[in-house]
């Protein structure tokens, strides 16, 4: 019990120092105890998944099943649950069709609304091993968001002003391509893909930042990016809210 309490204290100390989530900080400390390197690099597979380090043991397909839109919502909006659509698609021969053909068939032959047709198609491709979770036509992508108790203008500036950005994203090679203050920006992230960032005001003193990191090389890079941005957004929130306090 004493050893477990001591370890938790070390985890929380790391969280305070780095801005990481509990699971991420725990994973890094466990990795070090095992003699494995710990890094937030977007290109290292040994930091790709917090769940793997923490012993979750989920495969990529299982993780996709855990995070996709619930069966009940799909049934309500389309008339069938995933199993019903998958059986229908199998009978149609969808495993030999392209993504575009599957989605179009759902829309044209079964009157599935376009967005829900895309949802069912992606879930089907993942379930049948035709698509790795997060995979798109131009590579892999991950998304992240964070609500921060500051005005939207300050949240926007934390991305666009280099000196402010350096405080929560040190060394981040972020090159802004387009920006519409304080609502949206796109940026290159070094050689590690493209960022599309949206900012939404929630009143005068609260805002949400939500973005997609796309054009990632592979599934390992996508998982590493997901863990990386989870850490960095936690750090961003902590810094901005402490400045405001």
């Amino acid at each position: 019990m004493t050893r477990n309490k001591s370890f938790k204290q070390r985890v929380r100390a790391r969280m305070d120092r780095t801005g990481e989530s509990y699971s991420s900080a725990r994973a890094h400390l466990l990795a070090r105890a095992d003699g494995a390197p710990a890094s937030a690099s977007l290109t290292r597979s040994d930091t790709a998944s917090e769940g793997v380090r923490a012993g979750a043991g989920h495969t990529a397909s299982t993780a996709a099943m855990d995070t996709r839109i619930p069966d009940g919502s799909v049934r309500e909006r389309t008339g069938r649950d995933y199993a019903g659509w998958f059986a229908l698609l199998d009978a149609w021969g969808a495993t030999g069709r392209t993504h575009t053909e599957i989605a179009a068939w759902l829309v044209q032959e079964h009157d599935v609304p376009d967005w829900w047709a895309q949802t069912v198609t992606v879930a089907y491709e993942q379930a049948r091993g035709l698509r790795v979770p997060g995979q798109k036509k131009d590579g892999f992508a991950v998304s992240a968001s964070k609500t921060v108790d500051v005005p939207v203008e300050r949240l926007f500036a934390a991305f666009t002003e280099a000196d402010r950005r350096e405080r929560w994203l040190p060394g981040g090679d972020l090159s802004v391509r387009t920006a519409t203050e304080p609502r949206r920006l796109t940026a290159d992230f070094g050689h590690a893909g493209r960022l599309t960032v949206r900012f939404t005001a929630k009143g005068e003193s609260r805002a949400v930042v939500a973005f997609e990191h796309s054009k990632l090389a592979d599934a390992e890079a996508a998982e590493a990016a997901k863990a990386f941005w989870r850490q960095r957004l936690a750090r961003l929130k902590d810094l901005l809210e402490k400045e405001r306090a």
Side-chain angles (χ1 to χ4, degrees):
M1 178 68 77
T2 301
R3 180 180 299 177
N4 187 49
K5 182 177 181 180
S6 176
F7 180 74
K8 288 183 177 180
Q9 290 174 340
R10 289 171 55 205
V11 172
R12 296 195 182 282
R14 181 182 173 91
M15 291 170 62
D16 292 339
R17 187 174 69 255
T18 66
E20 296 170 340
S21 65
Y22 183 91
S23 59
S24 180
R26 179 178 180 274
H28 279 81
L29 291 175
L30 287 173
R32 288 184 179 181
D34 291 338
S39 168
S41 169
L42 297 186
T43 60
R44 291 293 302 274
S45 61
D46 57 6
T47 61
S49 173
E50 295 178 8
V52 171
R53 282 224 175 141
H58 282 195
T59 64
S61 60
T62 302
M65 297 271 294
D66 290 343
T67 58
R68 71 188 187 187
I69 295 173
D71 253 344
S73 297
V74 174
R75 185 186 302 109
E76 180 182 350
R77 297 304 182 94
T78 69
R80 288 182 173 87
D81 59 14
Y82 287 113
W85 283 118
F86 291 177
L88 201 64
L89 287 165
D90 283 340
W92 178 61
T95 55
R97 309 277 183 162
T98 67
H99 175 92
T100 300
E101 288 173 335
I102 297 171
W105 185 76
L106 290 170
V107 172
Q108 296 168 7
E109 300 297 326
H110 296 279
D111 296 322
V112 178
D114 186 66
W115 190 89
W116 289 96
Q118 294 292 333
T119 298
V120 171
T121 300
V122 169
Y124 178 79
E125 291 174 323
Q126 291 176 352
R128 296 298 182 261
L130 305 176
R131 174 192 292 258
V132 177
Q135 187 175 12
K136 295 192 172 185
K137 290 182 180 179
D138 58 353
F140 287 72
V142 297
S143 59
S145 65
K146 181 68 69 175
T147 300
V148 186
D149 290 335
V150 296
V152 68
E153 292 81 6
R154 286 190 59 190
L155 189 55
F156 185 85
F159 278 78
T160 57
E161 296 180 13
D163 55 340
R164 296 191 182 195
R165 186 171 64 239
E166 185 66 18
R167 297 186 60 201
W168 67 275
L169 191 65
D173 186 11
L174 191 151
S175 178
V176 175
R177 297 172 61 90
T178 64
T180 303
E181 186 177 359
R183 298 193 303 273
R184 186 179 185 275
L185 67 83
T186 61
D188 293 324
F189 194 64
H191 298 292
R194 177 76 52 80
L195 298 180
T196 301
V197 191
R198 291 178 174 81
F199 304 84
T200 305
K202 298 293 183 180
E204 295 183 357
S205 59
R206 173 175 289 190
V208 177
V209 55
F211 68 87
E212 179 181 82
H213 188 167
S214 60
K215 297 190 176 182
L216 294 162
D218 51 35
E220 288 185 347
E223 286 298 321
K226 184 186 300 184
F228 176 83
W229 288 117
R230 185 180 297 119
Q231 296 167 6
R232 291 301 89 205
L233 289 181
R235 179 61 174 162
L236 171 65
K237 177 181 174 69
D238 182 62
L239 280 172
L240 292 182
E241 291 183 352
K242 280 184 177 178
E243 288 177 351
R244 185 169 180 267

